[in-house]
Amino acid sequence: LGLGDIILPGFLLCFLYRFDMSVQGHAWQGYFLNGCIGYVVGLSLSLIMMISMAGLAQPALTYLIPCTIFPTLVLGYARKEVNNLWNGSSGRLHTLHSSENVIEDIVEPDGLSIQLEQLSSDDQAALDE
């Protein structure tokens, strides 16, 4: 097992962890757990194949990458979140509803705009605590 066999799937698992935290606030019912299980399955497959081929070296990424990406895509299709996974965003905007003054941000090139609200000094002090 080489360094690349840990780093490349690790990048995917780190992304899945960040995505789950931004969507759900925890990582144990989403893509991260799914990816970790896939990594363990892929690692087990690579060890089984190495043993069954009389110790001949096998590229572990041949088993690790499909076993981590395939379950992630299947779960993404089931949740209809593949587009959000691909773009790296949760697709949700958390706004604060504490002021009547709404400031519209500059429209992004893809046509999306973000609504920002101006907080009163009391609300800002409560958030800073």
Side-chain angles (χ1 to χ4, degrees):
L1 195 64
L3 186 61
D5 301 328
I6 298 168
I7 298 295
L8 291 177
F11 284 149
L12 176 64
L13 292 177
C14 288
F15 169 76
L16 296 176
Y17 179 81
R18 186 198 60 81
F19 186 83
D20 282 343
M21 292 302 286
S22 71
V23 172
Q24 301 175 9
H26 56 84
W28 298 110
Q29 291 181 347
Y31 297 99
F32 178 69
L33 180 62
N34 200 19
C36 286
I37 291 170
Y39 184 82
V40 169
V41 168
L43 189 60
S44 300
L45 278 174
S46 66
L47 290 174
I48 289 169
M49 294 307 288
M50 183 184 71
I51 291 169
S52 68
M53 293 186 175
L56 294 175
Q58 292 286 313
L61 287 178
T62 305
Y63 306 102
L64 292 176
I65 297 299
C67 287
T68 53
I69 290 179
F70 183 70
T72 301
L73 290 176
V74 169
L75 184 60
Y77 278 119
R79 291 183 175 182
K80 296 179 177 43
E81 294 179 340
V82 174
N83 192 28
N84 291 339
L85 271 171
W86 184 259
N87 292 328
S89 68
S90 63
R92 297 188 175 125
L93 178 63
H94 303 286
T95 58
L96 301 173
H97 300 286
S98 60
S99 176
E100 296 297 321
N101 301 329
V102 175
I103 304 168
E104 187 159 340
D105 198 8
I106 299 171
V107 176
E108 298 292 327
D110 60 0
L112 300 174
S113 65
I114 300 172
Q115 297 261 330
L116 301 175
E117 295 185 13
Q118 187 176 20
L119 296 176
S120 67
S121 58
D122 294 335
D123 292 335
Q124 185 62 45
L127 288 173
D128 291 339
E129 291 179 357

